[in-house]
Amino acid sequence: MDPDCTCFRVRRLARQISQIYDAALREAGLKGTQMTLLETIRGRGPLCIADLAEAVGAERSSVTRALAPLTAEGWVSIGQGCDGRTKAVRITPAGAERIALAEPLWARAQAEVARLLGTPGKVELDRMLDEASRLLHETDPEAGPDPHREADTAPP
């Protein structure tokens, strides 16, 4: 493996940071990926699985698999979507309670990452990741409009 490989470096960093979040959230019975799904569903209201996948930058099949344990725990429910062909995911009261339990743990993980990287380092990392994501999204013709770009979200 070429040590200058960007893919390797990004995956290594993602694993290292995920371990910090997973360790912090273990007390709430969650992993970082699960907390991200719960927070996204809660923040955006009921979502079709395709919209949830787009919101978290994942494939629909991956999101469907990731929702299975959340559904089994009763933290989300999957029901009829906006039309007869889709399914919508909703937070349950138990899911809202789980998020409330996990939020201080999530904040602790955020603080630990900032401590390890230094606050300026974390801010710079976040800026670079956002910029890289924006640039890569612009070059992906299958990605569709970027919801974070003003030009793509401005009214016609």
Side-chain angles (χ1 to χ4, degrees), residues 27-39:
E27 184 180 323
L30 289 170
K31 293 183 177 185
T33 52
Q34 294 171 321
M35 182 66 173
T36 298
L37 288 173
L38 289 172
E39 283 283 14

Side-chain angles (χ1 to χ4, degrees), residues 36-57 60 63-64 67 76-83 86-91:
T36 298
L37 288 173
L38 289 172
E39 283 283 14
T40 302
I41 297 164
R42 179 180 73 167
R44 297 186 183 202
L47 287 169
C48 293
I49 292 175
D51 294 338
L52 177 58
E54 183 177 331
V56 298
R60 280 184 295 214
V63 168
T64 299
L67 287 171
V76 299
S77 65
I78 301 175
Q80 188 64 40
C82 50
D83 63 35
T86 61
K87 294 181 180 180
V89 184
R90 293 169 176 77
I91 288 290

Side-chain angles (χ1 to χ4, degrees), residues 74-146:
W75 299 333
V76 299
S77 65
I78 301 175
Q80 188 64 40
C82 50
D83 63 35
R85 301 172 298 137
T86 61
K87 294 181 180 180
V89 184
R90 293 169 176 77
I91 288 290
T92 65
E97 289 175 16
R98 186 58 46 160
I99 292 169
L101 176 66
E103 282 176 326
L105 305 172
W106 183 270
R108 200 176 310 151
Q110 286 277 89
E112 178 65 4
V113 170
R115 183 189 72 75
L116 292 168
L117 297 176
T119 299
K122 183 192 174 302
V123 168
E124 179 63 9
L125 176 62
D126 290 346
R127 187 200 62 74
M128 289 172 45
L129 291 170
D130 289 345
E131 179 66 5
S133 182
R134 184 188 65 78
L135 291 169
L136 292 170
H137 192 277
E138 286 177 356
T139 63
D140 182 358
E142 294 181 19
D146 184 343

